[in-house]
Amino acid sequence: MSDRLYIFDTTLRDGEQVPGCQLNTVEKIEVAKALQDLGVDVIEAGFPISSPGDFESVVELSKAVTWPTICALTRAVEKDIDVAAESLKYAKKSRIHTGIGTSDFHIYHKLNSNPDAIIERAMAAVKYAKKYVEDVEFYAEDAGRTGNEYLAKVVEAVIKAGATVVNIPDTTGYCLPSEYGEKIKFLMENVKGVHKAVLSTHCHNDLGMATANTIAGIVNGARQVEVTINGIGERAGNTSLEEIVMILKSRYQALKIETGINTKKIYGTSRLVSTLMNMPVQPNKAIVGRNAFAHSSGIHQDGVLKNRENYEIMDPTDVGINESAILLTARSGRAALKHRLELLGFTLDKAKLDEVYDEFVKLADKKKDIRDDDIALLVGDATRKESRIKLDYLQVITGKSLKPMANVRLDISGEKFDATSSGNGPVDAAIKAVKQIIHRQIVIEEFLVQAITRGSDDIGKVHMQIEYDKTIYHGFGAHTDIITASVEAFLDAVNKLPVAE
Ligand code: KIV
Ligand code: ZN
């Protein structure tokens, strides 16, 4: 007998809280549709009271998604719940996710309250949300550091008030797997009416235990898991969807738990999220990292050639990794590119495909080995092309005993501006020239350069954080020329600044 586990994806809410990972509504719809194809049961679409942008995203995602439940987050505050309900009005299936802190830290030092008053507020919030929707999830924030006896009282009270799902977050990623598993077991055994609701895990990865804690929760009776693609999320992130799903698939005989996920869509969804959020996946990331299925030592290679299962516990094609299917070169046509893009989770209209194809041909002329990461970057570039300030021309003179000089031309809303500057190095010279044109007091706070695949013909990726008027803005650029990538990253951040009067 197997059990069904519900997958609640919070990439667009908890995941999107990461600085620099914010998506616009169109990008969120793209991710939501990919999550729907992947087969998630619930999509947490945002925290509608937090900003007009979040509100609009929940509205638009509700319209765009057909079958997964759309969920909106609130605090245990009536106004939050009113706004969440309003944002969900187009959802075919909707859920309000409300809650409050239950640990002593939260009760006494954040909410200035006491345990009985918190239970009253929790019940009142659930009852209030029930006026709008049947499906109400309650979260006991910092449940990981909440005593089990008190937590059981809270859970019992909210189920009585009508909660259909109760989320037990390890908000700070503090629990050991044995403790988290014990917590879920305690609730399953001690909460009256527990079977009227589903218990949910929501584990953060501060100590690298999110996946282990989530599995411990499942083993002890939780039947919903809150996860994100690539494990993205604040600080060290959330439990990653792909790890949980592939543990359940690979260890089915031990766990006997099923999900509705189409595992072949995992890799494509991972690439899509990584590209749109400008968040690289670490090469050794389980399941979706570049090296996750790469055997480099001679002994392993020999073993895999004799029989894959000597060293592989999963078939890479099960997660949608099928790199060698069609090799892309400068001679590949649009159809081959389109096919590869679809494998990677991108469905482009004809105009966008033409634009990406033109860039692909230029890149393939410069770089013989076109990889999935390169293609994903071209799609990201095409999306950024609509920016107000664009780099029109860049020439840099640099060398061992030369003072670096840069000539830059920017296109600002269709008008061209030129500047020349010297600098400490070529990037410094180019950025100084850009600053001469845009006349803003900008400080570069962080500048990160990465090569994404290998070889001297590789594409360089640049992440930049700039500070303007006490606010931080993030930018991203990618190019085979690292100086161009740096200027593009700088301009990507500058394009997010409020437009000067
Ligand atoms: O980590 C957490 O506690 C949360 C809740 C708001 C669900 O994200
Ligand atoms: Zn969280």
Side-chain angles (χ1 to χ4, degrees), residues 13-14 17 44 73-74 97 139-142 167 169-172 202 204 226 235 238:
R13 200 279 298 170
D14 225 348
Q17 282 171 218
E44 190 162 45
L73 186 79
T74 81
H97 188 190
Y139 64 86
E141 194 178 2
D142 206 14
N167 176 10
D170 185 21
T171 305
T172 56
H202 178 115
H204 280 268
E226 303 195 5
R235 310 186 308 278
N238 289 60

PDB file of all heavy atoms in Angstrom, residues 13-14 17 44 73-74 97 139-142 167 169-172 202 204 226 235 238, ligand 1:
ATOM      1  N   ARG A  13       7.296  32.266  -3.556  1.00  0.00           N
ATOM      2  CA  ARG A  13       7.060  33.057  -2.334  1.00  0.00           C
ATOM      3  C   ARG A  13       8.320  33.007  -1.451  1.00  0.00           C
ATOM      4  O   ARG A  13       9.100  33.951  -1.438  1.00  0.00           O
ATOM      5  CB  ARG A  13       5.793  32.542  -1.598  1.00  0.00           C
ATOM      6  CG  ARG A  13       5.192  33.534  -0.621  1.00  0.00           C
ATOM      7  CD  ARG A  13       5.899  33.576   0.731  1.00  0.00           C
ATOM      8  NE  ARG A  13       5.831  32.302   1.441  1.00  0.00           N
ATOM      9  CZ  ARG A  13       6.532  32.052   2.548  1.00  0.00           C
ATOM     10  NH1 ARG A  13       7.345  32.954   3.070  1.00  0.00           N
ATOM     11  NH2 ARG A  13       6.474  30.859   3.135  1.00  0.00           N
ATOM     12  N   ASP A  14       8.584  31.889  -0.780  1.00  0.00           N
ATOM     13  CA  ASP A  14       9.772  31.826   0.086  1.00  0.00           C
ATOM     14  C   ASP A  14      11.042  31.920  -0.771  1.00  0.00           C
ATOM     15  O   ASP A  14      12.010  32.589  -0.399  1.00  0.00           O
ATOM     16  CB  ASP A  14       9.776  30.524   0.892  1.00  0.00           C
ATOM     17  CG  ASP A  14      10.122  30.750   2.356  1.00  0.00           C
ATOM     18  OD1 ASP A  14      10.576  31.860   2.688  1.00  0.00           O
ATOM     19  OD2 ASP A  14       9.963  29.830   3.170  1.00  0.00           O
ATOM     20  N   GLN A  17      12.021  35.428  -2.060  1.00  0.00           N
ATOM     21  CA  GLN A  17      12.459  36.439  -1.078  1.00  0.00           C
ATOM     22  C   GLN A  17      13.979  36.665  -1.114  1.00  0.00           C
ATOM     23  O   GLN A  17      14.484  37.564  -0.475  1.00  0.00           O
ATOM     24  CB  GLN A  17      12.034  36.007   0.332  1.00  0.00           C
ATOM     25  CG  GLN A  17      10.571  36.265   0.586  1.00  0.00           C
ATOM     26  CD  GLN A  17      10.052  35.665   1.891  1.00  0.00           C
ATOM     27  OE1 GLN A  17       8.945  35.186   1.954  1.00  0.00           O
ATOM     28  NE2 GLN A  17      10.868  35.684   2.935  1.00  0.00           N
ATOM     29  N   GLU A  44       2.494  28.233  -4.060  1.00  0.00           N
ATOM     30  CA  GLU A  44       2.361  29.428  -3.211  1.00  0.00           C
ATOM     31  C   GLU A  44       2.805  30.610  -4.071  1.00  0.00           C
ATOM     32  O   GLU A  44       3.971  30.730  -4.455  1.00  0.00           O
ATOM     33  CB  GLU A  44       3.195  29.322  -1.945  1.00  0.00           C
ATOM     34  CG  GLU A  44       2.859  30.454  -0.986  1.00  0.00           C
ATOM     35  CD  GLU A  44       3.311  30.209   0.452  1.00  0.00           C
ATOM     36  OE1 GLU A  44       4.466  29.765   0.661  1.00  0.00           O
ATOM     37  OE2 GLU A  44       2.520  30.471   1.377  1.00  0.00           O
ATOM     38  N   LEU A  73      -0.087  33.831   1.038  1.00  0.00           N
ATOM     39  CA  LEU A  73       0.367  33.892   2.432  1.00  0.00           C
ATOM     40  C   LEU A  73      -0.181  35.133   3.138  1.00  0.00           C
ATOM     41  O   LEU A  73      -0.297  36.205   2.521  1.00  0.00           O
ATOM     42  CB  LEU A  73       1.899  33.942   2.467  1.00  0.00           C
ATOM     43  CG  LEU A  73       2.513  33.863   3.861  1.00  0.00           C
ATOM     44  CD1 LEU A  73       2.526  32.424   4.373  1.00  0.00           C
ATOM     45  CD2 LEU A  73       3.943  34.408   3.886  1.00  0.00           C
ATOM     46  N   THR A  74      -0.464  34.983   4.416  1.00  0.00           N
ATOM     47  CA  THR A  74      -0.873  36.142   5.233  1.00  0.00           C
ATOM     48  C   THR A  74      -0.287  36.001   6.638  1.00  0.00           C
ATOM     49  O   THR A  74       0.128  34.915   7.035  1.00  0.00           O
ATOM     50  CB  THR A  74      -2.413  36.238   5.407  1.00  0.00           C
ATOM     51  OG1 THR A  74      -2.822  35.345   6.457  1.00  0.00           O
ATOM     52  CG2 THR A  74      -3.172  35.905   4.131  1.00  0.00           C
ATOM     53  N   HIS A  97      -3.054  30.837   3.384  1.00  0.00           N
ATOM     54  CA  HIS A  97      -2.032  30.281   4.282  1.00  0.00           C
ATOM     55  C   HIS A  97      -1.767  31.342   5.350  1.00  0.00           C
ATOM     56  O   HIS A  97      -1.071  32.326   5.093  1.00  0.00           O
ATOM     57  CB  HIS A  97      -0.774  30.003   3.451  1.00  0.00           C
ATOM     58  CG  HIS A  97       0.318  29.262   4.149  1.00  0.00           C
ATOM     59  ND1 HIS A  97       1.571  29.125   3.607  1.00  0.00           N
ATOM     60  CD2 HIS A  97       0.353  28.592   5.332  1.00  0.00           C
ATOM     61  CE1 HIS A  97       2.338  28.418   4.418  1.00  0.00           C
ATOM     62  NE2 HIS A  97       1.624  28.086   5.478  1.00  0.00           N
ATOM     63  N   TYR A 139       0.151  28.120   9.576  1.00  0.00           N
ATOM     64  CA  TYR A 139       1.562  27.845   9.889  1.00  0.00           C
ATOM     65  C   TYR A 139       1.884  28.303  11.306  1.00  0.00           C
ATOM     66  O   TYR A 139       1.497  29.382  11.729  1.00  0.00           O
ATOM     67  CB  TYR A 139       2.518  28.494   8.874  1.00  0.00           C
ATOM     68  CG  TYR A 139       2.507  30.014   8.818  1.00  0.00           C
ATOM     69  CD1 TYR A 139       3.295  30.779   9.689  1.00  0.00           C
ATOM     70  CD2 TYR A 139       1.725  30.680   7.879  1.00  0.00           C
ATOM     71  CE1 TYR A 139       3.293  32.164   9.625  1.00  0.00           C
ATOM     72  CE2 TYR A 139       1.713  32.075   7.814  1.00  0.00           C
ATOM     73  CZ  TYR A 139       2.503  32.805   8.700  1.00  0.00           C
ATOM     74  OH  TYR A 139       2.491  34.175   8.634  1.00  0.00           O
ATOM     75  N   ALA A 140       2.586  27.443  12.029  1.00  0.00           N
ATOM     76  CA  ALA A 140       3.048  27.767  13.385  1.00  0.00           C
ATOM     77  C   ALA A 140       4.510  28.183  13.229  1.00  0.00           C
ATOM     78  O   ALA A 140       5.414  27.343  13.313  1.00  0.00           O
ATOM     79  CB  ALA A 140       2.918  26.541  14.270  1.00  0.00           C
ATOM     80  N   GLU A 141       4.731  29.473  12.987  1.00  0.00           N
ATOM     81  CA  GLU A 141       6.094  29.915  12.665  1.00  0.00           C
ATOM     82  C   GLU A 141       7.057  29.568  13.802  1.00  0.00           C
ATOM     83  O   GLU A 141       6.718  29.698  14.974  1.00  0.00           O
ATOM     84  CB  GLU A 141       6.104  31.432  12.407  1.00  0.00           C
ATOM     85  CG  GLU A 141       7.393  31.876  11.738  1.00  0.00           C
ATOM     86  CD  GLU A 141       7.413  33.360  11.416  1.00  0.00           C
ATOM     87  OE1 GLU A 141       6.436  34.055  11.744  1.00  0.00           O
ATOM     88  OE2 GLU A 141       8.426  33.811  10.856  1.00  0.00           O
ATOM     89  N   ASP A 142       8.240  29.122  13.429  1.00  0.00           N
ATOM     90  CA  ASP A 142       9.275  28.677  14.374  1.00  0.00           C
ATOM     91  C   ASP A 142       8.822  27.463  15.191  1.00  0.00           C
ATOM     92  O   ASP A 142       9.247  27.279  16.333  1.00  0.00           O
ATOM     93  CB  ASP A 142       9.706  29.831  15.306  1.00  0.00           C
ATOM     94  CG  ASP A 142      11.133  29.645  15.830  1.00  0.00           C
ATOM     95  OD1 ASP A 142      11.874  28.797  15.299  1.00  0.00           O
ATOM     96  OD2 ASP A 142      11.498  30.360  16.786  1.00  0.00           O
ATOM     97  N   ASN A 167       0.885  23.551   8.915  1.00  0.00           N
ATOM     98  CA  ASN A 167       2.294  23.604   8.528  1.00  0.00           C
ATOM     99  C   ASN A 167       3.152  23.737   9.786  1.00  0.00           C
ATOM    100  O   ASN A 167       2.893  24.585  10.643  1.00  0.00           O
ATOM    101  CB  ASN A 167       2.445  24.824   7.595  1.00  0.00           C
ATOM    102  CG  ASN A 167       3.866  25.092   7.169  1.00  0.00           C
ATOM    103  OD1 ASN A 167       4.751  24.288   7.404  1.00  0.00           O
ATOM    104  ND2 ASN A 167       4.074  26.239   6.541  1.00  0.00           N
ATOM    105  N   PRO A 169       6.668  24.657  10.444  1.00  0.00           N
ATOM    106  CA  PRO A 169       7.946  25.107   9.876  1.00  0.00           C
ATOM    107  C   PRO A 169       9.122  25.023  10.855  1.00  0.00           C
ATOM    108  O   PRO A 169       8.986  25.410  12.021  1.00  0.00           O
ATOM    109  CB  PRO A 169       7.691  26.585   9.526  1.00  0.00           C
ATOM    110  CG  PRO A 169       6.231  26.807   9.687  1.00  0.00           C
ATOM    111  CD  PRO A 169       5.751  25.781  10.659  1.00  0.00           C
ATOM    112  N   ASP A 170      10.230  24.538  10.330  1.00  0.00           N
ATOM    113  CA  ASP A 170      11.491  24.685  11.059  1.00  0.00           C
ATOM    114  C   ASP A 170      12.112  25.954  10.462  1.00  0.00           C
ATOM    115  O   ASP A 170      13.031  25.905   9.641  1.00  0.00           O
ATOM    116  CB  ASP A 170      12.383  23.462  10.846  1.00  0.00           C
ATOM    117  CG  ASP A 170      13.650  23.530  11.691  1.00  0.00           C
ATOM    118  OD1 ASP A 170      13.652  24.283  12.697  1.00  0.00           O
ATOM    119  OD2 ASP A 170      14.648  22.869  11.340  1.00  0.00           O
ATOM    120  N   THR A 171      11.578  27.076  10.906  1.00  0.00           N
ATOM    121  CA  THR A 171      11.867  28.377  10.292  1.00  0.00           C
ATOM    122  C   THR A 171      13.354  28.718  10.286  1.00  0.00           C
ATOM    123  O   THR A 171      13.852  29.347   9.351  1.00  0.00           O
ATOM    124  CB  THR A 171      11.077  29.456  11.059  1.00  0.00           C
ATOM    125  OG1 THR A 171       9.703  29.067  11.055  1.00  0.00           O
ATOM    126  CG2 THR A 171      11.229  30.836  10.449  1.00  0.00           C
ATOM    127  N   THR A 172      14.051  28.310  11.338  1.00  0.00           N
ATOM    128  CA  THR A 172      15.471  28.684  11.445  1.00  0.00           C
ATOM    129  C   THR A 172      16.413  27.536  11.050  1.00  0.00           C
ATOM    130  O   THR A 172      17.623  27.667  11.190  1.00  0.00           O
ATOM    131  CB  THR A 172      15.798  29.107  12.891  1.00  0.00           C
ATOM    132  OG1 THR A 172      15.427  28.017  13.749  1.00  0.00           O
ATOM    133  CG2 THR A 172      15.037  30.349  13.302  1.00  0.00           C
ATOM    134  N   HIS A 202       7.957  22.179   6.476  1.00  0.00           N
ATOM    135  CA  HIS A 202       8.468  23.398   5.825  1.00  0.00           C
ATOM    136  C   HIS A 202       9.830  23.622   6.484  1.00  0.00           C
ATOM    137  O   HIS A 202       9.923  24.233   7.543  1.00  0.00           O
ATOM    138  CB  HIS A 202       7.502  24.560   6.094  1.00  0.00           C
ATOM    139  CG  HIS A 202       7.961  25.864   5.501  1.00  0.00           C
ATOM    140  ND1 HIS A 202       7.280  26.511   4.505  1.00  0.00           N
ATOM    141  CD2 HIS A 202       9.045  26.645   5.773  1.00  0.00           C
ATOM    142  CE1 HIS A 202       7.902  27.627   4.182  1.00  0.00           C
ATOM    143  NE2 HIS A 202       8.977  27.736   4.949  1.00  0.00           N
ATOM    144  N   HIS A 204      13.886  24.762   6.644  1.00  0.00           N
ATOM    145  CA  HIS A 204      14.953  25.611   6.101  1.00  0.00           C
ATOM    146  C   HIS A 204      16.291  24.912   6.286  1.00  0.00           C
ATOM    147  O   HIS A 204      16.444  24.017   7.106  1.00  0.00           O
ATOM    148  CB  HIS A 204      14.895  26.997   6.754  1.00  0.00           C
ATOM    149  CG  HIS A 204      13.821  27.862   6.115  1.00  0.00           C
ATOM    150  ND1 HIS A 204      14.083  28.689   5.066  1.00  0.00           N
ATOM    151  CD2 HIS A 204      12.491  27.959   6.368  1.00  0.00           C
ATOM    152  CE1 HIS A 204      12.957  29.302   4.692  1.00  0.00           C
ATOM    153  NE2 HIS A 204      11.971  28.868   5.468  1.00  0.00           N
ATOM    154  N   GLU A 226       6.664  21.354   1.863  1.00  0.00           N
ATOM    155  CA  GLU A 226       6.824  22.681   1.252  1.00  0.00           C
ATOM    156  C   GLU A 226       8.275  22.781   0.794  1.00  0.00           C
ATOM    157  O   GLU A 226       9.210  22.625   1.583  1.00  0.00           O
ATOM    158  CB  GLU A 226       6.431  23.762   2.274  1.00  0.00           C
ATOM    159  CG  GLU A 226       5.012  23.470   2.716  1.00  0.00           C
ATOM    160  CD  GLU A 226       4.279  24.568   3.451  1.00  0.00           C
ATOM    161  OE1 GLU A 226       4.814  25.680   3.589  1.00  0.00           O
ATOM    162  OE2 GLU A 226       3.153  24.275   3.886  1.00  0.00           O
ATOM    163  N   ARG A 235      18.455  32.994   3.155  1.00  0.00           N
ATOM    164  CA  ARG A 235      19.660  32.450   3.806  1.00  0.00           C
ATOM    165  C   ARG A 235      20.154  31.198   3.052  1.00  0.00           C
ATOM    166  O   ARG A 235      20.449  31.275   1.885  1.00  0.00           O
ATOM    167  CB  ARG A 235      19.384  32.182   5.286  1.00  0.00           C
ATOM    168  CG  ARG A 235      18.749  33.361   6.027  1.00  0.00           C
ATOM    169  CD  ARG A 235      18.640  33.087   7.509  1.00  0.00           C
ATOM    170  NE  ARG A 235      17.983  31.825   7.801  1.00  0.00           N
ATOM    171  CZ  ARG A 235      16.651  31.647   7.821  1.00  0.00           C
ATOM    172  NH1 ARG A 235      15.836  32.666   7.604  1.00  0.00           N
ATOM    173  NH2 ARG A 235      16.142  30.456   8.095  1.00  0.00           N
ATOM    174  N   ASN A 238      15.477  26.653   1.241  1.00  0.00           N
ATOM    175  CA  ASN A 238      14.422  25.737   1.700  1.00  0.00           C
ATOM    176  C   ASN A 238      14.770  24.313   1.243  1.00  0.00           C
ATOM    177  O   ASN A 238      15.715  24.120   0.483  1.00  0.00           O
ATOM    178  CB  ASN A 238      13.089  26.122   1.030  1.00  0.00           C
ATOM    179  CG  ASN A 238      12.504  27.418   1.554  1.00  0.00           C
ATOM    180  OD1 ASN A 238      13.113  28.467   1.473  1.00  0.00           O
ATOM    181  ND2 ASN A 238      11.318  27.348   2.104  1.00  0.00           N
TER     182      ASN A 238
HETATM  183  O1  KIV B   1       9.810  29.680   7.350  1.00  0.00           O
HETATM  184  C1  KIV B   1       8.655  29.973   7.725  1.00  0.00           C
HETATM  185  O2  KIV B   1       8.309  29.880   8.887  1.00  0.00           O
HETATM  186  C2  KIV B   1       7.740  30.486   6.709  1.00  0.00           C
HETATM  187  C3  KIV B   1       6.316  30.691   7.104  1.00  0.00           C
HETATM  188  C4  KIV B   1       5.860  32.072   6.801  1.00  0.00           C
HETATM  189  C5  KIV B   1       5.451  29.654   6.473  1.00  0.00           C
HETATM  190  O3  KIV B   1       8.118  30.691   5.573  1.00  0.00           O
END
